[in-house]
Amino acid sequence: MQTPAAVRRAVPLPGRLAAPEPGWTTRADVVVIGSGIAGLTAALRLREHVGKVLVVTKDVLSAGSTQWAQGGIAAALGEGDTPEEHEVDTLVAGAGACDLDAVRVLVGEGPEAVRELIALGARFDVDASGLLALTREGGHHRDRIAHAGGDATGAEIQRALVAAVELAADIEVVQHALAVDLLLAGDGGVAGVTLHVMGEGERDGIGAVHCRAVVLASGGLGQVFSQTTNPGVATGDGMALALRAGATLRDLEFVQFHPTVMYLGPDSRGQQPLISEAVRGEGAFLVDGPPEAGGRRLMQGVHPLADLAPRDVVAKAITRRMHETGRPHLWLDARHLGAPGDGEEYWRRRFPTILATARRHGVDPVTELLPVAPACHYASGGVRTDLWGRSDVPGLYATGEVACSGVHGANRLASNSLLEGLVFSRRIATVLPGELRPWSEPAPDPRAPGLVAGSARRELQELMTDRVGVLRSAEGLAAAGAALADLAGRPAELVDLASWETTNLVTVATALAGAAARREETRGSHWREDHPERDDGRMAGHFDVTLVGGVPSIDFHPAPATDGDLVR
Ligand code: SIN
């Protein structure tokens, strides 16, 4: 198949964020942007091999997405399980768009990486004989999800990593700091990064960190949509910064909507409570009404794995039934979990976070149905990297949700995300010390500065939810593209955090909507009502977005489908 020529759309995105000149400077060999599993794993490993490592985080160290992960971390750790079986499940979930080599790295190195995390101090749940307790989630044909604190896996991993970083005197941490833009050397490679520190410690306001490499581990873009499981910090900053610096964004159209997010009412916005897929892994099922009033199980007959079908299949089935019935949500029936009469104790032990959250919102899952609807959960695409985390910009590496290593394809397999951050950060720490760039001065920056009004954020989120959400069409995507161009041209009155974040949101939303418009098929988490079938003939491959003079350029790169003869 021919590679279609790049499509250029006249969307005037800022070439860099407008910001005051740096008022302070410092130096570090490597700057790690982000402090979840990916960022802290990279920092802890790099400190053994490079001079100074500086970790920048937008809030406090523990505030990112890792902290919120419930279900767990997938790896072939159980008796009889193999990386090959994990590979098959990953490829099938990814709907032909995974990179086979990257998946093999993930599943092959995953078990050892998890064991190292345990050795570092992360305490996972064990069974009566002291072995790791493993559960199942959507798309997995084996129990292979390790979990901690019942449903508080991310919080436990974050605790262990933060404790290790706090003991590492040679890692400097800058909290409450937005990474604004990369400083680039004359060869286009990394020379540093500008930060905006929000009023704490010795440094305040805009400053410059001169460095020899940057590891981006800043998480996803969930705040592009009105409802998401992502925390408020997930505003696509890393992807936007990388795009402005010359990196390529790949597979951005593949945004995963988690099927079971607690429905809190039509006006609820921002981060919403996740009801882990592990609840279905333990036996809960979706219903389209209370069974005692004639409600039926949704997933029986839809997929051989029923409620544990891959996430995109379940999210689509829920959305279809919501459209058919006109209801804003369906329900999860988990009232039968635990031994008869022992539900309360079971929920307290296995899903303490979800139990407390649901009750706080007035629903008792021990005795009541949980109202659920899909919401934005995970960006399967991101900054395109090779198998060692290298982006197209010399000295810029990416890992975790901000990256597109190729492991997720069109739909991430449940609980592969923590694993990806762990595995690829270890890889970056293996190669980066040997390829550190010489210190270089930032070159004069030719990129045109700009800033979008912070007040445009809500409008952007509603537009993206309506037009670029679970169900997409050519018409809706064209309307979204035009509206985004308008938003991009709405100038900021203030140079502040709201405007920087909104500019980043508009930037990644424009790239996402552009790639979604080009992908004229339904594959994985990308669902086009006007192209309801998967089309390997025309669409097997990847859409890559770059920014050329502030204008997004979208190029198609064909690649054979990687699920080959595997059962779909
Ligand atoms: C969940 O617990 O359902 C989320 C796990 C994941 O996103 O991989």
Side-chain angles (χ1 to χ4, degrees), residues 69-72 137 256 258 260 274-280 311 377-378 412-418:
Q70 293 181 350
E137 291 181 356
Q256 185 168 74
H258 195 290
T260 54
L274 176 66
I275 309 294
S276 174
E277 215 161 70
V279 179
R280 274 175 284 134
R311 206 166 268 181
H377 183 56
Y378 192 84
R412 174 176 63 84
L413 182 67
S415 285
N416 267 356
S417 51
L418 293 175

mmCIF file with all atom_site columns, all heavy atoms in Angstrom, residues 69-72 137 256 258 260 274-280 311 377-378 412-418, ligand 1:
data_model
loop_
_atom_site.group_PDB
_atom_site.id
_atom_site.type_symbol
_atom_site.label_atom_id
_atom_site.label_alt_id
_atom_site.label_comp_id
_atom_site.label_asym_id
_atom_site.label_entity_id
_atom_site.label_seq_id
_atom_site.pdbx_PDB_ins_code
_atom_site.Cartn_x
_atom_site.Cartn_y
_atom_site.Cartn_z
_atom_site.occupancy
_atom_site.B_iso_or_equiv
_atom_site.pdbx_formal_charge
_atom_site.auth_seq_id
_atom_site.auth_comp_id
_atom_site.auth_asym_id
_atom_site.auth_atom_id
_atom_site.pdbx_PDB_model_num
ATOM   1   N N   . ALA A 1 69  ? -4.012  3.705   40.036 1.00 0.00 ? 69  ALA A N   1
ATOM   2   C CA  . ALA A 1 69  ? -4.206  2.391   39.391 1.00 0.00 ? 69  ALA A CA  1
ATOM   3   C C   . ALA A 1 69  ? -4.745  1.406   40.420 1.00 0.00 ? 69  ALA A C   1
ATOM   4   O O   . ALA A 1 69  ? -4.212  1.284   41.518 1.00 0.00 ? 69  ALA A O   1
ATOM   5   C CB  . ALA A 1 69  ? -2.884  1.896   38.818 1.00 0.00 ? 69  ALA A CB  1
ATOM   6   N N   . GLN A 1 70  ? -5.796  0.711   40.042 1.00 0.00 ? 70  GLN A N   1
ATOM   7   C CA  . GLN A 1 70  ? -6.427  -0.193  41.002 1.00 0.00 ? 70  GLN A CA  1
ATOM   8   C C   . GLN A 1 70  ? -6.037  -1.640  40.730 1.00 0.00 ? 70  GLN A C   1
ATOM   9   O O   . GLN A 1 70  ? -5.458  -2.325  41.546 1.00 0.00 ? 70  GLN A O   1
ATOM   10  C CB  . GLN A 1 70  ? -7.954  -0.061  40.915 1.00 0.00 ? 70  GLN A CB  1
ATOM   11  C CG  . GLN A 1 70  ? -8.468  1.272   41.375 1.00 0.00 ? 70  GLN A CG  1
ATOM   12  C CD  . GLN A 1 70  ? -9.994  1.357   41.291 1.00 0.00 ? 70  GLN A CD  1
ATOM   13  O OE1 . GLN A 1 70  ? -10.649 0.508   40.724 1.00 0.00 ? 70  GLN A OE1 1
ATOM   14  N NE2 . GLN A 1 70  ? -10.538 2.418   41.858 1.00 0.00 ? 70  GLN A NE2 1
ATOM   15  N N   . GLY A 1 71  ? -6.416  -2.111  39.508 1.00 0.00 ? 71  GLY A N   1
ATOM   16  C CA  . GLY A 1 71  ? -6.381  -3.543  39.211 1.00 0.00 ? 71  GLY A CA  1
ATOM   17  C C   . GLY A 1 71  ? -5.045  -4.180  39.480 1.00 0.00 ? 71  GLY A C   1
ATOM   18  O O   . GLY A 1 71  ? -4.953  -5.143  40.255 1.00 0.00 ? 71  GLY A O   1
ATOM   19  N N   . GLY A 1 72  ? -3.992  -3.682  38.870 1.00 0.00 ? 72  GLY A N   1
ATOM   20  C CA  . GLY A 1 72  ? -2.704  -4.265  39.150 1.00 0.00 ? 72  GLY A CA  1
ATOM   21  C C   . GLY A 1 72  ? -1.727  -4.187  38.019 1.00 0.00 ? 72  GLY A C   1
ATOM   22  O O   . GLY A 1 72  ? -1.803  -3.313  37.162 1.00 0.00 ? 72  GLY A O   1
ATOM   23  N N   . GLU A 1 137 ? -8.205  -10.030 34.422 1.00 0.00 ? 137 GLU A N   1
ATOM   24  C CA  . GLU A 1 137 ? -8.945  -8.861  33.928 1.00 0.00 ? 137 GLU A CA  1
ATOM   25  C C   . GLU A 1 137 ? -9.255  -9.093  32.453 1.00 0.00 ? 137 GLU A C   1
ATOM   26  O O   . GLU A 1 137 ? -8.837  -10.098 31.874 1.00 0.00 ? 137 GLU A O   1
ATOM   27  C CB  . GLU A 1 137 ? -8.137  -7.572  34.128 1.00 0.00 ? 137 GLU A CB  1
ATOM   28  C CG  . GLU A 1 137 ? -7.997  -7.182  35.597 1.00 0.00 ? 137 GLU A CG  1
ATOM   29  C CD  . GLU A 1 137 ? -7.221  -5.896  35.811 1.00 0.00 ? 137 GLU A CD  1
ATOM   30  O OE1 . GLU A 1 137 ? -6.721  -5.320  34.826 1.00 0.00 ? 137 GLU A OE1 1
ATOM   31  O OE2 . GLU A 1 137 ? -7.096  -5.486  36.960 1.00 0.00 ? 137 GLU A OE2 1
ATOM   32  N N   . GLN A 1 256 ? -8.266  4.838   25.063 1.00 0.00 ? 256 GLN A N   1
ATOM   33  C CA  . GLN A 1 256 ? -9.086  3.783   25.650 1.00 0.00 ? 256 GLN A CA  1
ATOM   34  C C   . GLN A 1 256 ? -10.113 4.361   26.624 1.00 0.00 ? 256 GLN A C   1
ATOM   35  O O   . GLN A 1 256 ? -9.770  5.167   27.485 1.00 0.00 ? 256 GLN A O   1
ATOM   36  C CB  . GLN A 1 256 ? -8.146  2.852   26.410 1.00 0.00 ? 256 GLN A CB  1
ATOM   37  C CG  . GLN A 1 256 ? -8.806  1.650   26.982 1.00 0.00 ? 256 GLN A CG  1
ATOM   38  C CD  . GLN A 1 256 ? -7.768  0.661   27.456 1.00 0.00 ? 256 GLN A CD  1
ATOM   39  O OE1 . GLN A 1 256 ? -7.137  0.897   28.483 1.00 0.00 ? 256 GLN A OE1 1
ATOM   40  N NE2 . GLN A 1 256 ? -7.568  -0.410  26.729 1.00 0.00 ? 256 GLN A NE2 1
ATOM   41  N N   . HIS A 1 258 ? -12.489 3.300   29.579 1.00 0.00 ? 258 HIS A N   1
ATOM   42  C CA  . HIS A 1 258 ? -12.699 2.194   30.519 1.00 0.00 ? 258 HIS A CA  1
ATOM   43  C C   . HIS A 1 258 ? -14.192 1.948   30.630 1.00 0.00 ? 258 HIS A C   1
ATOM   44  O O   . HIS A 1 258 ? -14.974 2.887   30.804 1.00 0.00 ? 258 HIS A O   1
ATOM   45  C CB  . HIS A 1 258 ? -12.110 2.540   31.891 1.00 0.00 ? 258 HIS A CB  1
ATOM   46  C CG  . HIS A 1 258 ? -11.954 1.348   32.783 1.00 0.00 ? 258 HIS A CG  1
ATOM   47  N ND1 . HIS A 1 258 ? -13.021 0.685   33.335 1.00 0.00 ? 258 HIS A ND1 1
ATOM   48  C CD2 . HIS A 1 258 ? -10.850 0.683   33.204 1.00 0.00 ? 258 HIS A CD2 1
ATOM   49  C CE1 . HIS A 1 258 ? -12.572 -0.335  34.055 1.00 0.00 ? 258 HIS A CE1 1
ATOM   50  N NE2 . HIS A 1 258 ? -11.259 -0.357  33.993 1.00 0.00 ? 258 HIS A NE2 1
ATOM   51  N N   . THR A 1 260 ? -16.094 0.519   32.927 1.00 0.00 ? 260 THR A N   1
ATOM   52  C CA  . THR A 1 260 ? -16.838 0.640   34.195 1.00 0.00 ? 260 THR A CA  1
ATOM   53  C C   . THR A 1 260 ? -16.278 1.765   35.065 1.00 0.00 ? 260 THR A C   1
ATOM   54  O O   . THR A 1 260 ? -15.470 1.535   35.961 1.00 0.00 ? 260 THR A O   1
ATOM   55  C CB  . THR A 1 260 ? -16.840 -0.700  34.959 1.00 0.00 ? 260 THR A CB  1
ATOM   56  O OG1 . THR A 1 260 ? -15.493 -1.145  35.128 1.00 0.00 ? 260 THR A OG1 1
ATOM   57  C CG2 . THR A 1 260 ? -17.634 -1.768  34.215 1.00 0.00 ? 260 THR A CG2 1
ATOM   58  N N   . LEU A 1 274 ? -13.012 5.055   39.274 1.00 0.00 ? 274 LEU A N   1
ATOM   59  C CA  . LEU A 1 274 ? -12.865 3.816   38.508 1.00 0.00 ? 274 LEU A CA  1
ATOM   60  C C   . LEU A 1 274 ? -13.428 2.639   39.304 1.00 0.00 ? 274 LEU A C   1
ATOM   61  O O   . LEU A 1 274 ? -13.239 2.566   40.520 1.00 0.00 ? 274 LEU A O   1
ATOM   62  C CB  . LEU A 1 274 ? -11.373 3.593   38.254 1.00 0.00 ? 274 LEU A CB  1
ATOM   63  C CG  . LEU A 1 274 ? -10.960 2.309   37.538 1.00 0.00 ? 274 LEU A CG  1
ATOM   64  C CD1 . LEU A 1 274 ? -11.473 2.307   36.105 1.00 0.00 ? 274 LEU A CD1 1
ATOM   65  C CD2 . LEU A 1 274 ? -9.440  2.175   37.545 1.00 0.00 ? 274 LEU A CD2 1
ATOM   66  N N   . ILE A 1 275 ? -14.140 1.746   38.605 1.00 0.00 ? 275 ILE A N   1
ATOM   67  C CA  . ILE A 1 275 ? -14.516 0.463   39.220 1.00 0.00 ? 275 ILE A CA  1
ATOM   68  C C   . ILE A 1 275 ? -13.690 -0.586  38.490 1.00 0.00 ? 275 ILE A C   1
ATOM   69  O O   . ILE A 1 275 ? -13.988 -0.953  37.348 1.00 0.00 ? 275 ILE A O   1
ATOM   70  C CB  . ILE A 1 275 ? -16.028 0.144   39.055 1.00 0.00 ? 275 ILE A CB  1
ATOM   71  C CG1 . ILE A 1 275 ? -16.902 1.320   39.502 1.00 0.00 ? 275 ILE A CG1 1
ATOM   72  C CG2 . ILE A 1 275 ? -16.386 -1.133  39.805 1.00 0.00 ? 275 ILE A CG2 1
ATOM   73  C CD1 . ILE A 1 275 ? -16.846 1.655   40.971 1.00 0.00 ? 275 ILE A CD1 1
ATOM   74  N N   . SER A 1 276 ? -12.645 -1.040  39.132 1.00 0.00 ? 276 SER A N   1
ATOM   75  C CA  . SER A 1 276 ? -11.645 -1.870  38.469 1.00 0.00 ? 276 SER A CA  1
ATOM   76  C C   . SER A 1 276 ? -12.257 -3.055  37.725 1.00 0.00 ? 276 SER A C   1
ATOM   77  O O   . SER A 1 276 ? -13.212 -3.678  38.183 1.00 0.00 ? 276 SER A O   1
ATOM   78  C CB  . SER A 1 276 ? -10.662 -2.406  39.511 1.00 0.00 ? 276 SER A CB  1
ATOM   79  O OG  . SER A 1 276 ? -9.782  -3.304  38.899 1.00 0.00 ? 276 SER A OG  1
ATOM   80  N N   . GLU A 1 277 ? -11.596 -3.372  36.605 1.00 0.00 ? 277 GLU A N   1
ATOM   81  C CA  . GLU A 1 277 ? -11.972 -4.550  35.847 1.00 0.00 ? 277 GLU A CA  1
ATOM   82  C C   . GLU A 1 277 ? -11.799 -5.808  36.692 1.00 0.00 ? 277 GLU A C   1
ATOM   83  O O   . GLU A 1 277 ? -12.421 -6.845  36.435 1.00 0.00 ? 277 GLU A O   1
ATOM   84  C CB  . GLU A 1 277 ? -11.047 -4.622  34.626 1.00 0.00 ? 277 GLU A CB  1
ATOM   85  C CG  . GLU A 1 277 ? -11.702 -5.159  33.412 1.00 0.00 ? 277 GLU A CG  1
ATOM   86  C CD  . GLU A 1 277 ? -10.922 -4.785  32.176 1.00 0.00 ? 277 GLU A CD  1
ATOM   87  O OE1 . GLU A 1 277 ? -9.821  -5.304  31.975 1.00 0.00 ? 277 GLU A OE1 1
ATOM   88  O OE2 . GLU A 1 277 ? -11.421 -3.951  31.410 1.00 0.00 ? 277 GLU A OE2 1
ATOM   89  N N   . ALA A 1 278 ? -10.940 -5.713  37.702 1.00 0.00 ? 278 ALA A N   1
ATOM   90  C CA  . ALA A 1 278 ? -10.734 -6.867  38.584 1.00 0.00 ? 278 ALA A CA  1
ATOM   91  C C   . ALA A 1 278 ? -12.030 -7.248  39.301 1.00 0.00 ? 278 ALA A C   1
ATOM   92  O O   . ALA A 1 278 ? -12.203 -8.392  39.707 1.00 0.00 ? 278 ALA A O   1
ATOM   93  C CB  . ALA A 1 278 ? -9.641  -6.552  39.598 1.00 0.00 ? 278 ALA A CB  1
ATOM   94  N N   . VAL A 1 279 ? -12.961 -6.310  39.442 1.00 0.00 ? 279 VAL A N   1
ATOM   95  C CA  . VAL A 1 279 ? -14.249 -6.652  40.054 1.00 0.00 ? 279 VAL A CA  1
ATOM   96  C C   . VAL A 1 279 ? -14.985 -7.638  39.149 1.00 0.00 ? 279 VAL A C   1
ATOM   97  O O   . VAL A 1 279 ? -15.578 -8.622  39.615 1.00 0.00 ? 279 VAL A O   1
ATOM   98  C CB  . VAL A 1 279 ? -15.088 -5.376  40.318 1.00 0.00 ? 279 VAL A CB  1
ATOM   99  C CG1 . VAL A 1 279 ? -16.437 -5.719  40.941 1.00 0.00 ? 279 VAL A CG1 1
ATOM   100 C CG2 . VAL A 1 279 ? -14.333 -4.404  41.210 1.00 0.00 ? 279 VAL A CG2 1
ATOM   101 N N   . ARG A 1 280 ? -14.900 -7.397  37.834 1.00 0.00 ? 280 ARG A N   1
ATOM   102 C CA  . ARG A 1 280 ? -15.460 -8.375  36.897 1.00 0.00 ? 280 ARG A CA  1
ATOM   103 C C   . ARG A 1 280 ? -14.600 -9.637  36.878 1.00 0.00 ? 280 ARG A C   1
ATOM   104 O O   . ARG A 1 280 ? -15.104 -10.741 36.748 1.00 0.00 ? 280 ARG A O   1
ATOM   105 C CB  . ARG A 1 280 ? -15.568 -7.768  35.492 1.00 0.00 ? 280 ARG A CB  1
ATOM   106 C CG  . ARG A 1 280 ? -16.872 -6.988  35.305 1.00 0.00 ? 280 ARG A CG  1
ATOM   107 C CD  . ARG A 1 280 ? -16.905 -6.291  33.955 1.00 0.00 ? 280 ARG A CD  1
ATOM   108 N NE  . ARG A 1 280 ? -16.054 -5.116  33.949 1.00 0.00 ? 280 ARG A NE  1
ATOM   109 C CZ  . ARG A 1 280 ? -15.203 -4.786  32.998 1.00 0.00 ? 280 ARG A CZ  1
ATOM   110 N NH1 . ARG A 1 280 ? -15.099 -5.533  31.929 1.00 0.00 ? 280 ARG A NH1 1
ATOM   111 N NH2 . ARG A 1 280 ? -14.467 -3.697  33.093 1.00 0.00 ? 280 ARG A NH2 1
ATOM   112 N N   . ARG A 1 311 ? -11.286 -4.663  26.651 1.00 0.00 ? 311 ARG A N   1
ATOM   113 C CA  . ARG A 1 311 ? -11.957 -3.455  27.133 1.00 0.00 ? 311 ARG A CA  1
ATOM   114 C C   . ARG A 1 311 ? -12.760 -2.723  26.059 1.00 0.00 ? 311 ARG A C   1
ATOM   115 O O   . ARG A 1 311 ? -13.840 -2.212  26.320 1.00 0.00 ? 311 ARG A O   1
ATOM   116 C CB  . ARG A 1 311 ? -10.833 -2.548  27.642 1.00 0.00 ? 311 ARG A CB  1
ATOM   117 C CG  . ARG A 1 311 ? -11.230 -1.599  28.665 1.00 0.00 ? 311 ARG A CG  1
ATOM   118 C CD  . ARG A 1 311 ? -9.985  -1.043  29.296 1.00 0.00 ? 311 ARG A CD  1
ATOM   119 N NE  . ARG A 1 311 ? -9.605  -1.821  30.452 1.00 0.00 ? 311 ARG A NE  1
ATOM   120 C CZ  . ARG A 1 311 ? -8.548  -1.536  31.206 1.00 0.00 ? 311 ARG A CZ  1
ATOM   121 N NH1 . ARG A 1 311 ? -7.781  -0.518  30.915 1.00 0.00 ? 311 ARG A NH1 1
ATOM   122 N NH2 . ARG A 1 311 ? -8.279  -2.265  32.264 1.00 0.00 ? 311 ARG A NH2 1
ATOM   123 N N   . HIS A 1 377 ? -9.806  6.735   29.759 1.00 0.00 ? 377 HIS A N   1
ATOM   124 C CA  . HIS A 1 377 ? -8.961  6.084   30.767 1.00 0.00 ? 377 HIS A CA  1
ATOM   125 C C   . HIS A 1 377 ? -7.478  6.121   30.410 1.00 0.00 ? 377 HIS A C   1
ATOM   126 O O   . HIS A 1 377 ? -6.646  6.344   31.268 1.00 0.00 ? 377 HIS A O   1
ATOM   127 C CB  . HIS A 1 377 ? -9.434  4.633   30.898 1.00 0.00 ? 377 HIS A CB  1
ATOM   128 C CG  . HIS A 1 377 ? -8.724  3.847   31.951 1.00 0.00 ? 377 HIS A CG  1
ATOM   129 N ND1 . HIS A 1 377 ? -8.666  4.241   33.270 1.00 0.00 ? 377 HIS A ND1 1
ATOM   130 C CD2 . HIS A 1 377 ? -8.055  2.657   31.885 1.00 0.00 ? 377 HIS A CD2 1
ATOM   131 C CE1 . HIS A 1 377 ? -7.988  3.341   33.967 1.00 0.00 ? 377 HIS A CE1 1
ATOM   132 N NE2 . HIS A 1 377 ? -7.597  2.395   33.160 1.00 0.00 ? 377 HIS A NE2 1
ATOM   133 N N   . TYR A 1 378 ? -7.150  5.889   29.134 1.00 0.00 ? 378 TYR A N   1
ATOM   134 C CA  . TYR A 1 378 ? -5.738  5.678   28.836 1.00 0.00 ? 378 TYR A CA  1
ATOM   135 C C   . TYR A 1 378 ? -5.415  6.028   27.385 1.00 0.00 ? 378 TYR A C   1
ATOM   136 O O   . TYR A 1 378 ? -6.147  5.635   26.476 1.00 0.00 ? 378 TYR A O   1
ATOM   137 C CB  . TYR A 1 378 ? -5.379  4.203   29.076 1.00 0.00 ? 378 TYR A CB  1
ATOM   138 C CG  . TYR A 1 378 ? -3.894  3.955   29.075 1.00 0.00 ? 378 TYR A CG  1
ATOM   139 C CD1 . TYR A 1 378 ? -3.142  4.164   30.226 1.00 0.00 ? 378 TYR A CD1 1
ATOM   140 C CD2 . TYR A 1 378 ? -3.241  3.555   27.921 1.00 0.00 ? 378 TYR A CD2 1
ATOM   141 C CE1 . TYR A 1 378 ? -1.777  3.960   30.227 1.00 0.00 ? 378 TYR A CE1 1
ATOM   142 C CE2 . TYR A 1 378 ? -1.868  3.358   27.912 1.00 0.00 ? 378 TYR A CE2 1
ATOM   143 C CZ  . TYR A 1 378 ? -1.151  3.554   29.072 1.00 0.00 ? 378 TYR A CZ  1
ATOM   144 O OH  . TYR A 1 378 ? 0.207   3.356   29.068 1.00 0.00 ? 378 TYR A OH  1
ATOM   145 N N   . ARG A 1 412 ? -5.054  -1.040  24.733 1.00 0.00 ? 412 ARG A N   1
ATOM   146 C CA  . ARG A 1 412 ? -4.145  -1.625  25.725 1.00 0.00 ? 412 ARG A CA  1
ATOM   147 C C   . ARG A 1 412 ? -4.810  -2.776  26.479 1.00 0.00 ? 412 ARG A C   1
ATOM   148 O O   . ARG A 1 412 ? -5.949  -2.653  26.932 1.00 0.00 ? 412 ARG A O   1
ATOM   149 C CB  . ARG A 1 412 ? -3.710  -0.548  26.727 1.00 0.00 ? 412 ARG A CB  1
ATOM   150 C CG  . ARG A 1 412 ? -2.886  -1.075  27.861 1.00 0.00 ? 412 ARG A CG  1
ATOM   151 C CD  . ARG A 1 412 ? -2.416  0.030   28.752 1.00 0.00 ? 412 ARG A CD  1
ATOM   152 N NE  . ARG A 1 412 ? -3.497  0.728   29.403 1.00 0.00 ? 412 ARG A NE  1
ATOM   153 C CZ  . ARG A 1 412 ? -4.085  0.326   30.534 1.00 0.00 ? 412 ARG A CZ  1
ATOM   154 N NH1 . ARG A 1 412 ? -3.720  -0.795  31.111 1.00 0.00 ? 412 ARG A NH1 1
ATOM   155 N NH2 . ARG A 1 412 ? -5.042  1.053   31.060 1.00 0.00 ? 412 ARG A NH2 1
ATOM   156 N N   . LEU A 1 413 ? -4.068  -3.857  26.634 1.00 0.00 ? 413 LEU A N   1
ATOM   157 C CA  . LEU A 1 413 ? -4.550  -4.960  27.470 1.00 0.00 ? 413 LEU A CA  1
ATOM   158 C C   . LEU A 1 413 ? -4.502  -4.519  28.933 1.00 0.00 ? 413 LEU A C   1
ATOM   159 O O   . LEU A 1 413 ? -3.548  -3.865  29.377 1.00 0.00 ? 413 LEU A O   1
ATOM   160 C CB  . LEU A 1 413 ? -3.648  -6.183  27.259 1.00 0.00 ? 413 LEU A CB  1
ATOM   161 C CG  . LEU A 1 413 ? -4.030  -7.444  28.029 1.00 0.00 ? 413 LEU A CG  1
ATOM   162 C CD1 . LEU A 1 413 ? -5.361  -8.014  27.524 1.00 0.00 ? 413 LEU A CD1 1
ATOM   163 C CD2 . LEU A 1 413 ? -2.936  -8.515  27.897 1.00 0.00 ? 413 LEU A CD2 1
ATOM   164 N N   . ALA A 1 414 ? -5.541  -4.906  29.681 1.00 0.00 ? 414 ALA A N   1
ATOM   165 C CA  . ALA A 1 414 ? -5.645  -4.487  31.080 1.00 0.00 ? 414 ALA A CA  1
ATOM   166 C C   . ALA A 1 414 ? -4.361  -4.783  31.853 1.00 0.00 ? 414 ALA A C   1
ATOM   167 O O   . ALA A 1 414 ? -3.761  -5.840  31.701 1.00 0.00 ? 414 ALA A O   1
ATOM   168 C CB  . ALA A 1 414 ? -6.813  -5.221  31.732 1.00 0.00 ? 414 ALA A CB  1
ATOM   169 N N   . SER A 1 415 ? -3.980  -3.829  32.668 1.00 0.00 ? 415 SER A N   1
ATOM   170 C CA  . SER A 1 415 ? -2.838  -3.928  33.590 1.00 0.00 ? 415 SER A CA  1
ATOM   171 C C   . SER A 1 415 ? -1.486  -4.081  32.904 1.00 0.00 ? 415 SER A C   1
ATOM   172 O O   . SER A 1 415 ? -0.502  -4.454  33.529 1.00 0.00 ? 415 SER A O   1
ATOM   173 C CB  . SER A 1 415 ? -3.066  -5.031  34.635 1.00 0.00 ? 415 SER A CB  1
ATOM   174 O OG  . SER A 1 415 ? -4.007  -4.565  35.581 1.00 0.00 ? 415 SER A OG  1
ATOM   175 N N   . ASN A 1 416 ? -1.423  -3.771  31.614 1.00 0.00 ? 416 ASN A N   1
ATOM   176 C CA  . ASN A 1 416 ? -0.127  -3.718  30.924 1.00 0.00 ? 416 ASN A CA  1
ATOM   177 C C   . ASN A 1 416 ? 0.537   -2.349  31.071 1.00 0.00 ? 416 ASN A C   1
ATOM   178 O O   . ASN A 1 416 ? 1.685   -2.185  30.654 1.00 0.00 ? 416 ASN A O   1
ATOM   179 C CB  . ASN A 1 416 ? -0.292  -4.023  29.430 1.00 0.00 ? 416 ASN A CB  1
ATOM   180 C CG  . ASN A 1 416 ? -0.079  -5.504  29.120 1.00 0.00 ? 416 ASN A CG  1
ATOM   181 O OD1 . ASN A 1 416 ? 0.257   -6.294  30.005 1.00 0.00 ? 416 ASN A OD1 1
ATOM   182 N ND2 . ASN A 1 416 ? -0.285  -5.880  27.867 1.00 0.00 ? 416 ASN A ND2 1
ATOM   183 N N   . SER A 1 417 ? -0.168  -1.365  31.622 1.00 0.00 ? 417 SER A N   1
ATOM   184 C CA  . SER A 1 417 ? 0.418   -0.016  31.610 1.00 0.00 ? 417 SER A CA  1
ATOM   185 C C   . SER A 1 417 ? 1.481   0.166   32.683 1.00 0.00 ? 417 SER A C   1
ATOM   186 O O   . SER A 1 417 ? 2.552   0.710   32.406 1.00 0.00 ? 417 SER A O   1
ATOM   187 C CB  . SER A 1 417 ? -0.662  1.044   31.760 1.00 0.00 ? 417 SER A CB  1
ATOM   188 O OG  . SER A 1 417 ? -1.479  0.756   32.858 1.00 0.00 ? 417 SER A OG  1
ATOM   189 N N   . LEU A 1 418 ? 1.217   -0.289  33.902 1.00 0.00 ? 418 LEU A N   1
ATOM   190 C CA  . LEU A 1 418 ? 2.257   -0.170  34.930 1.00 0.00 ? 418 LEU A CA  1
ATOM   191 C C   . LEU A 1 418 ? 3.485   -0.954  34.479 1.00 0.00 ? 418 LEU A C   1
ATOM   192 O O   . LEU A 1 418 ? 4.625   -0.530  34.653 1.00 0.00 ? 418 LEU A O   1
ATOM   193 C CB  . LEU A 1 418 ? 1.747   -0.698  36.273 1.00 0.00 ? 418 LEU A CB  1
ATOM   194 C CG  . LEU A 1 418 ? 0.623   0.103   36.952 1.00 0.00 ? 418 LEU A CG  1
ATOM   195 C CD1 . LEU A 1 418 ? 0.139   -0.606  38.215 1.00 0.00 ? 418 LEU A CD1 1
ATOM   196 C CD2 . LEU A 1 418 ? 1.082   1.517   37.306 1.00 0.00 ? 418 LEU A CD2 1
HETATM 197 C C1  . SIN B 2 .   ? -8.617  -1.489  36.206 1.00 0.00 ? 1   SIN B C1  1
HETATM 198 O O1  . SIN B 2 .   ? -8.308  -1.755  37.365 1.00 0.00 ? 1   SIN B O1  1
HETATM 199 O O2  . SIN B 2 .   ? -9.656  -1.845  35.672 1.00 0.00 ? 1   SIN B O2  1
HETATM 200 C C2  . SIN B 2 .   ? -7.687  -0.667  35.409 1.00 0.00 ? 1   SIN B C2  1
HETATM 201 C C3  . SIN B 2 .   ? -6.507  -1.465  35.089 1.00 0.00 ? 1   SIN B C3  1
HETATM 202 C C4  . SIN B 2 .   ? -5.880  -0.919  33.852 1.00 0.00 ? 1   SIN B C4  1
HETATM 203 O O3  . SIN B 2 .   ? -6.252  0.147   33.382 1.00 0.00 ? 1   SIN B O3  1
HETATM 204 O O4  . SIN B 2 .   ? -5.024  -1.592  33.304 1.00 0.00 ? 1   SIN B O4  1
#
